[in-house]
Amino acid sequence: MTDASQKSRVGITVALGFAQMLAWASSYYLIAILGDPMAKSLNISSTMVFAAFSVALLVSGLVGPKVGRTIDLIGGRGVLAGSNLVYAAALVTLACAYDPITLWAGWLLLGVGMGLGLYDAAFATLSRIYGLSARRAITGITLLGGLASTVGWPLSAWGVDAIGWRWTCLAWAAAQICIGLPLNLLAIPKTPRHEVKTETHAAKPHVPIDRTMMLLGFAFAVGWMVSAGMAAHLPRLLEAAGATASQALIAASLIGPAQVIARLAEAAIFSQYNPLISARIAMMLHPIGAGLVAIGGGALALPFTFLHGAGNGILTIARGTVPLAVFGPDNYGYRVGLINAPTRIGQAAAPLAFGLLIEAYGAGTLVVSSLMCLSAVLAFSCVRRAPHNLS
């Protein structure tokens, strides 16, 4: 903590927040804008491109526990800086893809980058620096990271129109090297030599997959399945519920602002309470919004999407703060990697699964998604009260 104490916590949080915004914009949110142009350019189906992205999510989940363990041992500075190099290499590979094999290689490499550099790694880094006092910093980086789609989608769309999708990938690669890498290297303090764990500590720790681990793994996986499914199909689902195309698009645009507003509320109001309470509230908001749609149809699409987005915003914070409060900072990175591995699998499967549900049941899909969220509420409620106070 010596080096960390010489840096402003606000400065570290802001720098990591901007680095996370860049990381999400040039990886997770890239597919929505570049997927179709990639498929058209390579004369393949969009399904193949999205399948590669789904496998990339699986890869990020598989490397997550190892990444978390590495951060537990040596800190996150090298890991997050390394992620910028992997992102850049992946984006260059995508830009140079003229056949499906190279395209898949680029997306799989991007999956490694996501495992190295998205929220789980950033949360573990903050836990390594601040321990139980990391909650506000975790909230802070999600405030900026939550703007990734708001910033990234327009920039990617402008890039595709102005310079094409290949040069857009290269531009994001350059941003990773010129912006993301310096932010991570300069903002994150070096881990003091005496705090770097030796080879005797390097063996995989014994983290039992007990009842609490399974409950949290289930709850977060279900919550993020709903989130990913809505992200892929929300306008279509709202139209099935009776909204016009323009109403659906306007409503969908509320997701980003709702997430930011909810995260501000979490920081200002809920930070003094047990983060399990925030997690339960987050999972309740989607069913409440779905109930409004059941009553008023598409006319209530706006409040539904606002509540759904607010729940997503709080759940992102809970993903980092709940494990910290329940288990403490020891082996935090490794534990979070294990807990969130099912989440990546769920996110990968969600677009296809929810697409099939909408085809079969239309707006009735909201019943399924609401039951999923309520099952997550039950799982969070069965977790013992977190013994650690976070600040």
Side-chain angles (χ1 to χ4, degrees):
M1 291 288 290
T2 302
D3 287 342
S5 65
Q6 297 173 353
K7 292 176 177 283
S8 164
R9 181 182 295 221
V10 173
I12 293 173
T13 301
V14 170
L16 276 180
F18 277 110
Q20 283 296 297
M21 184 193 301
L22 173 61
W24 283 91
S26 57
S27 61
Y28 187 86
Y29 290 115
L30 200 67
I31 187 73
I33 305 300
L34 269 63
D36 287 338
M38 284 179 173
K40 184 177 180 180
S41 175
L42 272 66
N43 197 28
I44 58 177
S45 69
S46 296
T47 301
M48 179 177 289
V49 178
F50 281 87
F53 175 70
S54 294
V55 176
L57 291 178
L58 294 177
V59 170
S60 71
L62 291 175
V63 303
K66 177 63 175 178
V67 169
R69 179 57 178 158
T70 301
I71 293 173
D72 289 338
L73 289 171
I74 66 172
R77 186 171 184 264
V79 172
L80 288 177
S83 75
N84 300 122
L85 300 177
V86 176
Y87 281 134
L91 289 161
V92 170
T93 302
L94 287 174
C96 297
Y98 288 91
D99 58 78
I101 294 177
T102 309
L103 184 77
W104 272 75
W107 279 112
L108 295 181
L109 190 56
L110 200 62
V112 175
M114 288 190 284
L116 287 168
L118 293 185
Y119 279 145
D120 290 351
F123 294 162
T125 299
L126 291 172
S127 174
R128 187 71 161 76
I129 298 171
Y130 298 119
L132 291 173
S133 64
R135 182 171 183 174
R136 289 188 181 276
I138 287 173
T139 301
I141 66 170
T142 63
L143 285 172
L144 289 169
L147 297 173
S149 61
T150 304
V151 173
W153 280 342
L155 285 176
S156 290
W158 175 84
V160 170
D161 290 339
I163 57 178
W165 70 267
R166 296 183 187 277
W167 283 100
T168 299
C169 286
L170 292 175
W172 282 121
Q176 286 289 345
I177 299 299
C178 298
I179 300 174
L181 183 60
L183 283 175
N184 283 323
L185 285 176
L186 297 176
I188 303 171
K190 292 182 180 179
T191 303
R193 186 178 297 274
H194 68 276
E195 291 186 13
V196 176
K197 297 184 179 180
T198 64
E199 289 297 320
T200 58
H201 298 89
K204 184 184 295 185
H206 177 62
V207 175
I209 308 300
D210 56 15
R211 174 178 177 272
T212 301
M213 287 281 287
M214 289 189 287
L215 286 170
L216 291 180
F218 170 81
F220 285 119
V222 167
W224 285 106
M225 276 194 73
V226 173
S227 176
M230 293 298 107
H233 300 290
L234 185 58
R236 177 186 175 196
L237 182 58
L238 293 176
E239 289 184 45
T244 65
S246 60
Q247 286 175 328
L249 289 174
I250 292 172
S253 69
L254 284 179
I255 294 291
Q259 290 183 142
V260 173
I261 291 170
R263 288 168 185 168
L264 288 171
E266 209 281 342
I269 302 171
F270 297 111
S271 60
Q272 59 186 308
Y273 299 109
N274 191 308
L276 281 168
I277 296 174
S278 297
R280 294 167 194 154
I281 292 173
M283 297 312 303
M284 283 296 300
L285 294 180
H286 177 93
I288 292 172
L292 293 177
V293 171
I295 294 171
L300 294 180
L302 286 173
F304 164 70
T305 52
F306 185 87
L307 289 170
H308 170 74
N312 281 351
I314 298 173
L315 188 64
T316 301
I317 299 172
R319 181 170 171 171
T321 56
V322 168
L324 185 60
V326 172
F327 299 108
D330 290 343
N331 297 315
Y332 171 85
Y334 180 60
R335 193 182 295 273
V336 166
L338 291 174
I339 289 172
N340 288 326
T343 296
R344 299 292 190 190
I345 297 172
Q347 285 179 308
L352 174 60
F354 273 82
L356 295 174
L357 284 171
I358 292 171
E359 287 183 7
Y361 302 109
T365 301
L366 290 174
V367 175
V368 177
S369 61
S370 295
L371 290 174
M372 292 172 68
C373 289
L374 292 174
S375 71
V377 173
L378 180 60
F380 281 129
S381 298
C382 291
V383 174
R384 59 181 172 81
R385 183 173 177 80
H388 301 285
N389 293 320
L390 305 185
S391 58

